[in-house]
Structures are given as structure tokens and as C-alpha cells.
Amino acid sequence: MKMKKVLMVSSLASVLVLSSFSNVFAESQATTSHSDIFIDATVQGHERNNLLNFMVNLEPDARENVIYEDENGKLLANKPKLLQKVIKYKKTSENIFETPDGKESFALPVDDSKPSQIVLHGDQFTQENNKNSVSNSVYKDTTCTATSKVEEEIGTQATQHPCTGSTGPYRRVTSQANYSWQSHYVYLPGGSEIRDHNTKGTSDYNGDAGYVYVGGQGANGGGVDAGLLHSTLYDNWGMLISVDGDPLGYDQRFKSKQNVNMKFSIPSSNNIALTISGNDYTTNKNTTVTFGRSAKGFVPGGGNILKRLTTIGQKPQNFHTGSYIHNARWYSSLIGNSSTNYHTWTASDTNASGTCSYTTDVVRVNYVNAGEETDNIDI
């Protein structure tokens, strides 16, 4: 009997040792997998897997500070303290949103750049797009052509981006289809270079807000506006992503009067990412932040249309408020499908109806080439 007990204890001990070894091995495997991606140890389980799946497709230099809203609206971050800076705006009226502290309230611009299919005929094929102004003409987009019969005439089906608006003046450049990554340097106006009115409680408040942003239309639907919003109160620029008209902010404030690097990517299906590198408003240290959201319809490398804009968001639209934004320079623009597969943004990458100044009465563009221009808006 004594021998049997000894054998049982010995067997149990062996099982425990093997079990412990297996657990240690599994933990070691989990720790060493994707060792170049940092996620705080407090982020565990399903949330950790969700965040890791998002981060693994980001370029390495975009993984330092990552905030991500998943498909269920759950907010995740590789450093939990980052979640304290997420801004959930309060909608106070149509297209007007307010910060939680009630100090700032701004109009969210709605970019009506969703392409429509039209039919071109005869001499419409030869019309050229005026790079610096609005045109009411229709242009051929050679990326999307097909024969079509309308009213007994044969034409070519093409993609047209409308140059209209109801939420403020803007300058927009839109790409051809089938891209999923873009990068730009952009100068952030400050001081006397910009005037808007989004500080609540002031006599001149009207919600006007300056923006420089990127984004696009998904291959399977959906629209994203992602970039920087100017604060009248602090004269700095904060991050914001609007998915189908639903804005979410991040209180990383970048200094005015500096050049920042702004990237927009589709790291995986139904996910988008905005990465901005520049000097922090408070510390003056170079900071890189990636803000990601779930966005249905976006697909890596397939069918997406990308864009960049300079605008003053307004509601209601009024071109006589005295607001302006000067010297918003976009340059060193790149476009492609990833950080390892890209090229300089050239005229051939720009949709034939993709350049729009709404309107030429208030928007002036110093055009250098398809990847560089300086935008000025005065209303």
C-alpha cells in the first residue's frame, strides 16, 4: 500500500511538472511571437489578439503609440494610458460636434467625393482638367471604361467625382482606384496664417474649423475622412477620424507652423489607419501616433480611391465669415499599396475629375505638380 501511494504521488508530480513546462513553453512562445510589436502585459485575451492582428500589418515605425477601435466599437491601445486621450464628441446639432469639456465646438466637413458613373460622348473625351480650379466639364477616367448605350448613343462609362459642397470651401485631390496607402508632408498653418472660430462662448464663435486631412472611399463602399483639426483656442492641431460621418478624436496635439508626416493606410480588410509624426504641442518632442478604426468596405490593394484635402468646415455654409487658411503646403506625396510598394504621386495617379477647388472664388492653389501644391482659402 505504501509503495502504491509513492507511485501515485510520483506520477502526480510528473504530470504537474510537465503541465508547468507546457505552460511556460506556451507563454514563451506567445512572448517571442511578434517580438517587434509591443503590447502592454495588461492587455490580454481576445482584446490582445484583436490589437495584435491590427498592428501586425502596420509598418514598423507606426507601431510606437497605437490606438484602435475595433468592429464592435471597443477601444484598444498598446499602452493603456493612450486611451485617456480618446475624444468622444457630443453631437449638438446637424454636423456640429462639441468636445467633452464644452470649450470647443466645430463643424464637421462632409466630403461628397463618392464617384458616380456617367457616360461620355464625342468631344468630351478631349477636354482637359484645370488643375488649379473647378471645372463643370466631365472627364474620362481610363481606369473605369466600358461601352454603354444611352438614348441610342454609344458612349464610354467613366467615374466622375462631384465638385460640389454644403459644409464649407475646400481643395481636394483624388486618386485613381486600386490604392491602399498614401504618405504626405504637410505644413500646418498657425498664428496669422489661419483664422477660424470654434471656441465656444466667444463673440465670434460660428463653428468654422480648419482641416488638413486624407482618407478615401472603400472598394466595397464606405467613406473615411482622417487627419488634423485646428483648434482656435490653442492654435494647435488634433487628430480626428470620421467613418461614414461618425467622428472620433484623439487628443494628441501637434504644434502649428511645422511640417508633419501624414500617412493613411488600409492595413487589413475593413480597417484603416492614420499615422502622424510631428512635434508635440506640449513637449515639443517628435511624436508618432497611429489611430486606427474599423471601416467597412476598405480592402488592401483593391478598388479603394484615396484623397487629400484642405478645407474649412462650416455649418451652415457661409462664404462671408472672415475665416481663412493660408500656406497649407502638401509635398513629397507618395501613393501605393503599402510602405514597401509605393511611388511618387504623379498626374497619372490622379483621377481625371479628381482635382477640385470649391470654389475658385475663395480657393487659390499654387500648383507645382501632382504631389506638391500650396492651398489658400479665404472666405
Side-chain angles (χ1 to χ4, degrees), residues 80-301:
K81 66 179 182 179
L82 299 176
L83 294 175
Q84 299 171 10
K85 288 189 173 185
V86 175
I87 303 174
K88 294 185 177 181
Y89 299 109
K90 176 184 177 182
K91 186 174 182 178
T92 57
S93 61
E94 184 184 0
N95 239 51
I96 298 292
F97 294 86
E98 187 177 288
T99 55
D101 61 12
K103 293 181 179 180
E104 300 174 271
S105 182
F106 59 90
L108 183 73
V110 177
D111 176 34
D112 187 23
S113 63
K114 186 175 181 179
S116 58
Q117 299 301 313
I118 48 86
V119 176
L120 303 179
H121 304 281
D123 60 356
Q124 288 178 320
F125 289 167
T126 62
Q127 297 177 14
E128 293 185 356
N129 190 9
N130 182 341
K131 300 180 181 67
N132 301 319
S133 66
V134 178
S135 173
N136 294 320
S137 302
V138 176
Y139 304 105
K140 181 181 179 183
D141 175 6
T142 56
T143 65
C144 182
T145 59
T147 58
S148 175
K149 190 169 184 178
V150 177
E151 296 179 350
E152 299 183 348
E153 289 186 273
I154 301 297
T156 299
Q157 187 169 313
T159 301
Q160 183 187 21
H161 296 268
C163 195
T164 57
S166 61
T167 56
Y170 62 85
R171 168 64 175 180
R172 183 184 69 222
V173 179
T174 307
S175 79
Q176 306 279 26
N178 299 320
Y179 291 120
S180 53
W181 183 93
Q182 61 176 316
S183 172
H184 312 271
Y185 282 90
V186 58
Y187 175 76
L188 305 180
S192 62
E193 296 172 318
I194 185 168
R195 182 184 181 191
D196 47 18
H197 308 86
N198 52 55
T199 303
K200 286 291 293 293
T202 57
S203 59
D204 61 351
Y205 167 79
N206 59 19
D208 283 12
Y211 294 83
V212 289
Y213 69 94
V214 288
Q217 295 289 328
N220 300 318
V224 168
D225 297 326
L228 292 169
L229 159 68
H230 180 256
S231 165
T232 308
L233 181 61
Y234 302 109
D235 189 24
N236 58 23
W237 296 77
M239 298 177 73
L240 179 146
I241 297 179
S242 176
V243 177
D244 295 328
D246 174 30
L248 189 65
Y250 186 70
D251 200 23
Q252 169 58 53
R253 303 274 181 155
F254 291 94
K255 291 183 65 174
S256 294
K257 294 190 173 184
Q258 68 162 321
N259 299 296
V260 299
N261 181 226
M262 183 182 295
K263 295 178 181 178
F264 178 80
S265 63
I266 304 166
S268 53
S269 293
N270 301 317
N271 284 309
I272 56 90
L274 170 70
T275 301
I276 299 180
S277 298
N279 288 342
D280 180 85
Y281 173 71
T282 304
T283 66
N284 200 33
K285 293 181 179 179
N286 188 267
T287 304
T288 298
V289 176
T290 295
F291 188 15
R293 293 187 70 180
S294 174
K296 291 183 179 180
F298 286 81
V299 181

Side-chain angles (χ1 to χ4, degrees), residues 47-81:
E47 293 181 357
R48 187 180 188 88
N49 288 336
N50 266 6
L51 184 57
L52 180 61
N53 288 337
F54 174 74
M55 291 182 65
V56 73
N57 293 307
L58 296 174
E59 53 197 275
D61 61 1
R63 297 171 179 164
E64 181 181 356
N65 300 293
V66 179
I67 308 94
Y68 170 58
E69 183 192 46
D70 70 13
E71 68 276 10
N72 298 314
K74 178 68 176 179
L75 288 165
L76 308 170
N78 68 327
K79 302 172 185 177
K81 66 179 182 179

